[in-house]
Every structure is written in structure tokens, then in C-alpha cells.
């Protein structure tokens, strides 16, 4: 008979707790003044004698196996890096290192209190660019309003005279439309009047419509041409990044930029190529703006972000606000009856929605007024794009993106927030569609009272016995920007070796899958820094770090055998350690039952095992009833794992033990003995 036995042991090595000594007790500082260390990240500063800090850092990186994230060589000399405990100890012992200190988190405030006397309009609140008490800061980019001009003296606007394409003199508004658009984008938080989506943003008045609100393609192209020229005129202070066009009319069938014969489309193509993002109104005819044979332009141009209108009466989601005062036939949180929409895939690809009914904003002569239209919806999105590019001198998540990428970002943010918070949307959005009409998702600016947090993790912090094939997950309190959040994540082995892998997402949960199995019996630390950001650009409120330990897997083989019934024919315990053609043969008894009964003694098995598997391979010269059992030391009895009929064909038995595993190991701690019995009877 051929016999091989293997026992697979998954061992758990307990961690030894550190002991802390008593010291001087000090009063705890207020919570808002406690420094927030970034776990695992340190600042290393060299002594004055180090002449070439960059060279010194490169030598340390090669020798200690880390990579610096920042390097310094002027105010101070040194670097910032993520360091393991071993790397940290080695650097503190380096004679060239003057000090090592933890890196600490700082955070800028993205919102400001609304000053007494100011108010945030319902539309601004509905896209969550403001609350009743807080608004966003000014955008750090310039926004052009291509319209009827802007009231250049309005006290609630930070407006600059840009260009007058319909006559002589400054781009002063003689109609009111352009001033209203300007206020929705950036009316100031100055203690009187109303606030815009991006209060105090610098606006450039570009007059392309006359006092009656009429214009021509030539005047509009003049305005586009002026906006485009700012990108290359040598004066970076006037560079236009966003342009609002709440205007339009019928046009010719839309072609691509390379083949279009539409001069206004050509102008838009050139301007977007220069880096200007155009936000335009869908139109107020209640029809499809992307009708192939007679589209509305510029709404139908693929290069622009086209905005449909939603009715909102209370600045809140849920549809409980009642009818708006100025248009009582409309309904709260439903598409506006006058709004154009998309019907083609091409039109849908650059469409988003925003409030456009009974919108309160600035008006000429320092006044305020409420009017309706997709013209009023578009500037909500223009302000949102400006904030995405930058806010209060801080680069935003759209910084560095091309206009087409910004359009994609604004649409994906709107879709992502509606998916995460379905009640945020409106009747007519893709979740609650109207057959044959596409209004897009409601734009989302995302002012947050609190920063996003990590609400769940796996493996659990402090977990032991974790499978080497585990994935690491983090669940966030709200939708996150995926790329920066992935970049903010790291998984590092205890020896400082970072682990490579891939990411996937399910709603707000990020999953990291290591490229290769984790090392057995090793400790790992997962970290998410405050560089992780939500869809509005708000960074993680506090870095999250947790550690876990993988399983130690060991294969133990018999050290000896004991025959209870029968007699040894050849071989011994040494032949049971591998399936290599070597046999351990046992003769049966000579009685009519013809029984073999023997057991293997497997030593060096830890009492703290987490899993126990027995693998036995053998055959018999005659078919008999075979059982495989484990000895239970706590009850001095055999526990059967497997029973079957086995003959001349070799059979593998691979079974996991159940119950209290330590009962199968002799002793109560440390390593003990496991016994495996093989019995076969005719």
C-alpha cells in the first residue's frame, strides 16, 4: 500500500503589546488645536554641513529603499517621505540628519459665512453651491459673459469692461439680461443683495447683444474672437478660462471642427482649442436643440457644455416646494416646460441641467430681478466650472484639464452625485426620464459642511490571520474623485516595501487588489492621505491608517508512525512526507477481517492554529472500508474525517478539521502533536 500524509497548518502568531511608562500628566489642548499628524509620513531635515541635499537624498533613497515625495534645498535642506519604522530609525541615526518630524495636515476653508444682509438664491442652493449660511469663495479664473453687456457699476459685481461688439463705448448693459447672468455666476458676498455660485469671481463684460437683446453671428464671433485673443496677448491677468453664452438661434447641420463651414462653429472650435470652456443655454422653445436638420446653435455644438432648465422653488431637493411664484404652472423639482432638450446621443454627450425658473439675480442700476429661461440655467453651470478650475487661489479638480475633459467632469460629477443621492435629482433626469427627451443630470457644485471621511475598511484594523490573497477596501462617506483618491492610497509591508496593485470602484467603495499574493506571516499598513478628495474637491478630513497581519501557512509531515493492528512491511514515516513514489506499506492482520490500523504522529503543530487540513493519499491490495480520523486530545477519542471504500486505485483524501482545532493538538500552548489514524477493514 502506498501512503502519504501531509498536514497543512495555518498558524497565528500573536502580537506582543507594547508597554507604556508613566509620565507627567498634562491637560489636553482643545480638539481643534491638536496637530493632526499624517501617519507614516515624515519631514527629514539635514544639518547645515550638507552641501548637496539632492545628492544626499538620492543616496538615502537607494540605501534605505524609500522614495521622497518632496525635496527641499533653500529655506531648509531635506525631504518629505513615507517611512517604515526601520527606515525611520536608520535616518534618525544618520549623522547628517538634524531632525525628523511627523508631517502634519493643514486644511483651507472652502466656504465662507454669508454676511448679514446677503442671501443665497434658491438656484444656487439647489445645486449645493451654497447653504442658508455659507457660500463658496471666488474662482481664481476669469469668466466672460457674452451677452447684452453687464452693469459695470453694479455694487454686487466684480466686473471688468471687456469688449463691445455691437457699438462704441464700454460694454454697458442696456437690456438687463447680461447683468442677470453675471450675478448668478459671481454676485459678491458683500453683505447686501444676493450671492452667486462663485461670489466675487472676476467677470469680463463682452457685449454681443443690443438693448433689445438681439445680436448677429458677426457680433457673437467678435466676442468669441476677443475671448480667444486673451489667451495669447501676453497679459496673463486677462486670460479667459470660462465663457457663458446664454443666447442662440437656428443653425445649419452640425459638422466636425475639421470640416465645418459654420463660421461661428469654427470660432468656437478655435477658442476651445485655446483653452476656453464654453457654457451655453439649450434654448427655450420646448423642442430638441440637436435636431439634425435645423439645430439650435451654439447649443448643438459638441464642443460646448449645453444647459437645460429645471424648475426649483425652494432651493431643496424632494419636490415639496410648491409652484414658483412667477410661473405658477411649473412644478418644483421637475424639468421646466419651456426648456429645450436633447434627443441624440451626440447631444446628450454634452448636456447637463440647472435651475432656470424664477431665478433672482442682479439687474441694471444696482437692482435685482427674477426671470426665467435656460439663459438663467447656464450661468449656474458657468460658475460651477469656474470653481472646478480654481477657488480662492487654490487649484481645483478641473485645473489642467482641456475643455472637453472639463465638460466630461461636470457631467460625471452630476451623474455621480445623483447616483449617490438619488433624491438630489429631478423629474426628467435620466433616473426619472421623460420618453424621447434628455435633460441631463442636475449640475452639482457640492458645498460641504464636513469633509469626506473613511467610513469602513477591510481587513479590519489589527486583524490577524488575513488571507494572502486579500483585497483591501475603503468605503467613503460620499462619492470621491477616483484618480486622486487612488493616488492617496498606499499598502506597505513592514519592511517598507510598497505593494503594487490595481483599483476598482463600487459606488463609494474603493478596492485595491495587490498584483501578487501578500507574504505569509507579514504585517501590512494601509494608508489614505488627505490628498483624497470628494467630487467637490474637498479633501479627506483626516488621514486614515490601519494595519493587519497575514496568515502563516506551514506544511507539517509525520515524524513517526505507530501500528495498532497489522505489521510493517516496508518504509516508515519518512515515506509519508511527499508524494514521490516512495511507499509506507503495512500488512493487514491474518484474521478474516483483514484489518490495518495505524496512525502517524505529526509534531511541531502550534496550538494557536486557525485552520487544519489533512491530506492523505494511498491504496490497498484488496478493496476495504477505509476511515481517516484525527485524535482529539481533550476527550481521548478519534474523530472521523472521511470514510470510503478504497481498492487498488490510489485515492487522495483532503479534509479540513472542524470544531475547536486546538483540541487536536497536544498540550495547551506552544507547539504540540497531531495524530492521524488510517484504518481499513475488509
Amino acid at each position: 500500500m502506498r501512503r502519504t500524509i501531509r498536514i497543512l497548518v495555518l498558524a497565528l502568531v500573536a502580537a506582543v503589546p507594547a508597554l507604556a511608562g508613566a509620565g507627567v500628566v498634562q491637560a489636553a489642548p482643545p480638539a481643534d488645536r491638536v496637530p493632526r499628524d499624517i501617519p507614516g509620513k515624515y519631514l527629514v531635515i539635514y544639518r547645515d554641513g550638507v552641501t548637496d541635499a539632492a545628492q544626499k537624498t538620492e543616496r538615502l533613497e537607494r540605501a534605505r529603499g524609500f522614495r521622497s515625495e518632496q525635496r527641499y534645498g533653500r529655506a531648509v535642506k531635506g525631504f518629505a517621505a513615507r517611512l517604515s519604522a526601520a527606515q525611520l530609525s536608520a535616518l534618525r541615526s544618520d549623522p547628517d540628519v538634524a531632525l525628523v518630524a511627523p508631517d502634519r495636515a493643514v486644511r483651507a476653508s472652502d466656504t465662507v459665512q454669508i454676511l448679514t444682509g446677503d442671501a443665497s438664491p434658491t438656484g444656487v442652493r439647489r445645486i449645493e453651491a451654497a447653504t442658508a449660511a455659507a457660500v463658496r469663495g471666488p474662482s481664481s479664473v476669469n469668466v466672460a459673459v457674452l451677452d447684452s453687456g453687464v452693469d459695470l457699476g453694479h455694487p454686487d459685481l466684480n466686473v471688468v469692461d471687456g469688449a463691445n461688439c455691437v457699438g462704441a463705448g464700454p460694454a454697458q448693459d442696456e437690456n438687463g439680461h447680461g447683468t442677470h447672468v453675471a450675478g448668478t455666476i459671481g454676485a459678491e458676498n458683500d453683505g447686501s443683495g444676493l450671492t452667486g455660485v462663485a461670489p466675487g469671481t472676476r467677470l469680463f463684460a463682452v457685449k454681443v447683444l443690443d438693448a433689445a437683446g438681439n445680436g448677429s453671428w458677426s457680433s457673437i464671433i467678435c466676442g468669441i474672437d476677443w475671448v480667444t485673443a486673451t489667451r495669447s496677448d501676453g497679459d496673463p491677468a486677462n486670460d479667459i478660462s470660462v465663457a457663458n453664452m446664454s443666447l442662440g438661434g437656428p443653425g445649419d447641420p452640425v459638422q466636425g471642427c475639421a470640416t465645418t463651414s459654420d463660421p461661428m462653429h469654427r470660432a468656437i472650435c478655435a477658442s476651445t482649442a485655446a483653452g476656453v470652456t464654453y457654457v451655453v443655454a439649450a434654448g427655450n422653445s420646448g423642442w430638441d436643440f440637436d435636431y439634425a436638420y435645423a439645430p439650435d446653435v451654439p447649443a448643438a455644438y459638441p464642443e460646448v457644455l449645453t444647459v437645460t432648465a429645471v424648475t426649483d422653488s425652494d432651493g431643496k431637493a424632494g419636490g415639496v416646494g410648491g409652484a414658483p411664484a412667477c410661473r405658477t404652472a411649473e412644478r418644483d423639482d421637475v424639468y421646466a416646460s419651456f426648456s429645450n432638450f436633447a434627443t441624440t446621443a451626440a447631444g446628450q454627450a454634452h448636456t447637463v441641467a440647472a435651475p432656470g425658473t424664477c431665478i433672482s439675480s442682479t439687474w441694471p442700476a444696482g437692482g435685482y430681478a427674477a426671470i426665467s429661461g435656460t439663459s438663467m440655467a447656464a450661468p449656474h453651470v458657468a460658475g460651477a466650472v469656474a470653481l472646478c478650475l480654481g477657488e480662492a487661489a487654490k487649484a481645483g479638480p478641473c485645473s489642467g484639464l482641456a475643455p472637453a475633459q472639463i465638460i466630461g467632469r461636470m457631467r460625471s460629477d452630476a451623474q455621480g452625485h445623483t447616483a449617490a443621492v438619488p433624491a438630489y435629482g429631478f423629474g426628467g433626469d435620466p433616473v426619472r426620464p421623460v420618453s424621447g427627451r434628455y435633460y441631463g443630470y442636475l449640475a452639482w457644485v457640492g458645498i460641504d459642511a464636513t469633509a469626506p471621511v473613511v467610513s469602513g475598511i477591510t481587513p479590519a484594523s489589527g486583524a490577524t490571520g488575513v488571507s494572502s490573497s486579500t483585497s483591501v477596501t475603503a468605503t467613503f462617506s460620499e462619492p470621491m474623485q477616483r484618480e486622486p483618491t487612488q493616488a492617496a492610497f498606499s499598502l506597505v509591508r513592514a519592511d517598507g516595501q510598497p505593494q503594487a496593485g490595481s483599483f476598482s470602484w463600487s459606488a463609494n467603495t474603493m478596492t485595491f487588489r495587490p498584483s501578487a499574493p501578500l507574504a505569509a506571516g507579514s504585517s501590512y499598513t494601509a494608508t489614505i492621505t488627505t490628498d483624497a478628495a470628494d467630487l467637490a474637491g474637498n479633501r479627506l478630513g483626516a488621514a486614515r491608517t490601519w494595519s493587519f497581519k497575514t496568515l502563516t501557512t506551514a506544511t507539517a509531515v509525520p515524524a513517526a508512525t505507530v501500528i495498532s493492528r497489522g505489521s510493517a512491511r516496508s518504509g516508515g514515516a519518512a515515506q509519508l512526507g511527499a508524494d514521490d513514489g516512495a511507499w509506507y506499506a503495512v500488512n493487514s492482520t491474518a484474521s478474516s477481517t483483514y484489518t490495518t490500523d495505524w496512525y502517524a504522529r505529526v509534531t511541531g503543530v502550534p496550538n494557536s492554529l486557525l485552520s487544519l487540513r489533512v491530506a492523505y493519499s494511498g491504496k490497498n491490495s484488496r478493496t476495504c472500508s477505509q476511515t481517516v480520523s484525527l485524535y482529539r486530545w481533550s476527550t481521548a477519542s478519534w474523530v472521523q474525517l472521511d470514510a470510503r471504500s478504497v481498492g487498488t486505485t490510489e485515492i487522495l483524501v483532503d479534509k479540513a478539521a472542524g470544531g475547536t482545532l486546538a483540541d487536536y493538538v497536544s498540550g495547551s500552548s506552544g507547539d504540540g502533536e497531531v495524530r492521524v489514524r488510517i484504518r481499513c477493514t475488509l
Side-chain angles (χ1 to χ4, degrees), residues 64-453:
R64 302 301 177 191
F66 65 87
R67 183 178 297 278
S68 58
E69 297 181 1
Q70 301 282 354
R71 293 186 182 183
Y72 315 114
R74 295 186 181 275
V76 293
K77 296 179 181 179
F79 62 89
R82 299 193 176 282
L83 302 172
S84 67
Q87 293 165 339
L88 186 61
S89 177
L91 289 168
R92 280 176 169 156
S93 300
D94 191 305
D96 288 334
V97 173
L99 64 91
V100 180
D103 198 1
R104 288 175 171 166
V106 297
R107 185 180 177 215
S109 298
D110 292 336
T111 63
V112 295
Q113 180 180 0
I114 293 180
L115 298 180
T116 301
D118 244 322
S120 54
T122 55
V124 177
R125 298 200 307 273
R126 184 63 178 86
I127 63 172
E128 298 185 1
T131 66
V135 290
R136 299 293 289 263
S139 172
S140 53
V141 303
N142 297 323
V143 179
V145 177
L146 280 70
D147 211 289
S148 59
V150 178
D151 180 359
L152 299 175
H154 201 294
D156 217 2
L157 296 175
N158 177 14
V159 60
V160 177
D161 183 20
N164 186 344
C165 292
V166 296
Q172 183 67 33
D173 187 7
E174 300 170 293
N175 175 275
H177 190 272
T179 300
H180 196 279
V181 165
T184 297
I185 297 171
E188 297 188 23
N189 179 25
D190 56 4
S192 64
L194 301 171
T195 61
V197 172
T201 294
R202 193 181 191 207
L203 306 171
F204 280 76
V206 182
K207 190 170 184 175
V208 297
L209 303 177
D210 61 20
N214 298 320
S216 64
W217 281 27
S218 60
S219 63
I220 295 170
I221 292 172
C222 165
I224 297 170
D225 191 59
W226 181 86
V227 167
T228 308
T230 67
R231 307 287 297 183
S232 58
D233 63 0
D235 180 10
N238 73 349
D239 284 5
I240 303 298
S241 297
V242 184
N244 188 95
M245 296 175 66
S246 290
L247 48 81
D252 296 325
V254 177
Q255 298 174 301
C257 284
T259 59
T260 184
S261 57
D262 177 343
M264 186 162 65
H265 191 194
R266 281 179 176 261
I268 289 287
C269 289
S271 198
T272 55
V276 183
T277 299
Y278 282 83
V279 181
V280 308
N284 303 324
S285 302
W287 61 38
D288 47 340
F289 68 78
D290 55 350
Y291 179 57
Y293 302 103
D296 287 354
V297 295
Y301 297 155
E303 295 74 27
V304 306
L305 182 54
T306 302
V307 187
T308 65
V310 175
T311 294
D312 171 77
S313 61
D314 59 359
K316 302 176 183 178
V320 296
C326 77
R327 291 182 67 92
T328 56
E330 303 288 342
R331 290 182 296 153
D332 185 39
D333 294 322
V334 177
Y335 69 92
S337 61
F338 54 79
S339 177
N340 286 358
F341 48 83
T343 58
T344 67
Q348 294 173 16
H350 60 101
T351 298
V352 73
T357 304
C358 302
I359 301 300
S360 295
S361 187
T362 48
W363 200 252
Y368 300 88
I371 55 177
S372 302
T374 58
S375 286
M376 285 58 257
H380 285 89
V381 178
V385 171
L387 288 174
C388 190
L389 283 165
E391 180 179 358
K394 183 179 71 174
C398 289
S399 178
L401 299 183
Q405 294 172 311
I406 293 171
I407 290 171
R409 175 59 188 265
M410 300 306 296
R411 296 184 70 249
S412 66
D413 283 359
Q415 180 178 356
H417 191 63
T418 301
V421 188
Y424 175 77
F426 65 96
D429 70 14
V431 178
R432 293 151 283 250
V434 177
S435 179
R437 302 181 180 187
Y438 183 89
Y439 292 95
Y441 291 94
L442 183 63
W444 182 62
V445 177
I447 187 170
D448 288 326
T450 58
V453 297

Side-chain angles (χ1 to χ4, degrees), residues 582-599:
W583 291 82
Y584 172 52
V586 178
N587 292 320
S588 68
T589 60
S591 65
S592 60
T593 56
Y594 298 103
T595 300
T596 60
D597 189 348
W598 59 277
Y599 64 87

Side-chain angles (χ1 to χ4, degrees), residues 26-95:
Q26 295 181 333
D32 61 353
R33 300 194 66 174
V34 175
R36 293 190 293 119
D37 294 351
I38 301 175
K41 190 173 179 181
Y42 295 86
L43 303 170
V44 179
I45 307 301
Y46 298 136
R47 299 186 187 279
D48 292 338
V50 175
T51 56
D52 192 333
Q55 189 179 74
K56 170 68 177 178
T57 301
E58 290 170 1
R59 288 200 303 268
L60 287 174
E61 287 177 333
R62 291 192 296 269
R64 302 301 177 191
F66 65 87
R67 183 178 297 278
S68 58
E69 297 181 1
Q70 301 282 354
R71 293 186 182 183
Y72 315 114
R74 295 186 181 275
V76 293
K77 296 179 181 179
F79 62 89
R82 299 193 176 282
L83 302 172
S84 67
Q87 293 165 339
L88 186 61
S89 177
L91 289 168
R92 280 176 169 156
S93 300
D94 191 305

Side-chain angles (χ1 to χ4, degrees), residues 449-473:
T450 58
V453 297
V454 178
S455 56
I457 56 170
T458 63
S461 183
T464 54
V466 176
S467 170
S468 294
S469 61
T470 190
S471 295
V472 180
T473 71

